[in-house]
Amino acid sequence: MWFATIFRRKSDNPPPPLFDEAFLRRLERLSLQAQRTLRGTPIVGRYPGRQPMPATIFSDHRPYTPGDDPRYLDWHVYARQEHLLVRLGETEQDVAVSLILDTSRSMVTGDPERLRRAIQLTGAMGYLALAHGDRVIVLTGDQPQPLFGPARGKMRAVELFKALRDLTPTRRIDLEQAARQIAQHHPRGGLVLLLSDLLTPMPIERLNQILPAPRWQVMVLHLLSNADLNPNLYGPLELVDSETGDQLVVDLDEATLATYRAAVQHWRTSIAQHCSARGLHYAPVLTDWVLERQVIPFLRIRRFLT
């Protein structure tokens, strides 16, 4: 099978494979939950889009506005109600799917590592889009060129998985630069997934400004570990910031840890509220969740997948 090339050994201690072939086959039954307002290329993909008739399936009306093609007016409705309405139809289209993967140093913390889970999710979401005929691009924010793509077609998944397998963490990333690259590659808009621990200095609102709705649909997957939420640390310690290298000497007791947990909860709530207020889809994902039994069902519940 062509999947075998993904798992070829490169050293005595290679990283474990991202997935097995059976998981990828089951994954193909799902699809990314793209909004109908996104503009894609007709027919190629599986996502329904709305356009003036004629189209594959009649779906709705909208009021006539000057400049609309009179061929699409519903004269039967006008004869009954004397209202000019344009007939809308649904046609299948592909969608530009862009994935921004945070590869900063803080992503290698946690057990299992946040970066490992983010790479798996990037591979799964990218494969899903490729299998459905969509255009896929993956950016990491630390280089001027995409890590992968733009590409279309399931056979390009081998190239995607290899690029992800060879990925290494970087000291600095620029997620805003990655967002601007996406806007440049796909000016018509599309679906964007950001996979990050959100510890990088880029406010969420910048995503909404660079990739505004409804032309863009932005989904944020927030990678968290149990150590982030409930650290098992006590006593005098020297903490090192994995992003900046800054050091902080602390003496952790239960009161300090309680203050920390409250601050983390406030931070997570604030991020969720910012995303909701700006039309961004947000989902926290714990790194110790089992990918197929917990992460995928959770993303279906949160309407990231269908």
Side-chain angles (χ1 to χ4, degrees):
M1 298 298 294
W2 62 269
F3 295 112
T5 61
I6 301 167
F7 311 130
R8 187 172 298 161
R9 288 180 175 269
K10 293 183 64 178
S11 66
D12 293 336
N13 297 298
L18 297 181
F19 328 100
D20 58 30
E21 183 180 336
F23 169 75
L24 293 177
R25 286 175 174 166
R26 292 190 293 270
L27 189 65
E28 287 186 35
R29 303 170 188 169
L30 304 174
S31 62
L32 294 169
Q33 182 70 28
Q35 296 173 348
R36 298 188 179 187
T37 56
L38 300 183
R39 298 170 60 190
T41 304
I43 302 303
V44 178
R46 298 188 182 182
Y47 301 105
R50 297 180 68 184
Q51 64 177 32
M53 293 291 283
T56 309
I57 306 169
F58 168 74
S59 62
D60 203 355
H61 292 96
R62 67 165 171 79
Y64 169 81
T65 56
D68 285 337
D69 193 325
R71 293 177 299 171
Y72 303 147
L73 292 174
D74 195 325
W75 297 107
H76 296 288
V77 172
Y78 180 76
R80 296 194 306 269
Q81 304 178 11
E82 296 186 357
H83 290 299
L84 286 176
L85 299 176
V86 176
R87 301 180 73 226
L88 299 176
E90 291 184 356
T91 183
E92 291 187 337
Q93 61 179 3
D94 74 345
V95 168
V97 177
S98 306
L99 299 108
I100 304 176
L101 175 58
D102 184 349
T103 58
S104 59
R105 288 186 177 181
S106 64
M107 290 288 287
V108 300
T109 61
D111 185 19
E113 291 183 357
R114 286 192 281 254
L115 184 57
R116 170 68 181 177
R117 177 62 76 220
I119 286 174
Q120 282 186 314
L121 284 169
T122 301
M125 301 300 104
Y127 175 80
L128 196 56
L130 290 172
H132 288 182
D134 296 311
R135 292 162 292 161
V136 177
I137 187 172
V138 179
L139 302 104
T140 58
D142 67 322
Q143 50 189 326
Q145 299 300 321
L147 176 72
F148 170 79
R152 179 190 280 121
K154 186 165 66 173
M155 295 304 295
R156 298 295 298 275
V158 174
E159 180 185 342
L160 169 64
F161 293 158
K162 182 182 184 302
L164 293 173
R165 183 190 60 192
D166 297 339
L167 198 60
T168 57
T170 55
R171 181 172 180 81
R172 294 183 181 277
I173 63 167
D174 189 342
L175 297 182
E176 183 172 332
Q177 172 187 302
R180 294 189 182 280
Q181 284 179 278
I182 290 172
Q184 180 179 359
H185 277 286
H186 302 300
R188 289 172 59 88
L191 177 64
V192 179
L193 286 88
L194 169 64
L195 301 97
S196 172
D197 56 13
L198 301 182
L199 295 177
T200 56
M202 185 193 73
I204 287 293
E205 49 265 28
R206 292 294 297 145
L207 272 181
N208 191 52
Q209 294 170 3
I210 300 170
L211 305 170
R215 188 155 50 99
W216 294 96
Q217 178 185 350
V218 179
M219 298 178 168
V220 179
L221 292 179
H222 188 186
L223 279 298
L224 297 160
S225 71
N226 277 318
D228 298 324
L229 308 180
N230 296 292
N232 187 22
L233 301 171
Y234 293 95
L237 295 168
E238 183 180 83
L239 304 181
V240 179
D241 189 315
S242 56
E243 293 280 356
T244 64
D246 294 341
Q247 300 178 355
L248 177 66
V249 177
V250 297
D251 190 355
L252 296 181
D253 55 19
E254 189 54 44
T256 305
L257 289 172
T259 301
Y260 167 82
R261 286 190 288 267
V264 169
Q265 182 58 46
H266 173 75
W267 174 61
R268 292 178 59 194
T269 301
S270 176
I271 290 173
Q273 290 174 344
H274 276 295
C275 288
S276 177
R278 291 165 175 80
L280 309 180
H281 300 256
Y282 171 81
V285 176
L286 294 181
T287 57
D288 61 349
W289 286 355
V290 179
L291 183 62
E292 186 168 8
R293 295 203 304 268
Q294 292 176 286
V295 178
I296 298 300
F298 176 72
L299 294 181
R300 294 187 70 181
I301 292 173
R302 298 300 288 263
R303 297 186 181 278
F304 278 58
L305 299 173
T306 183

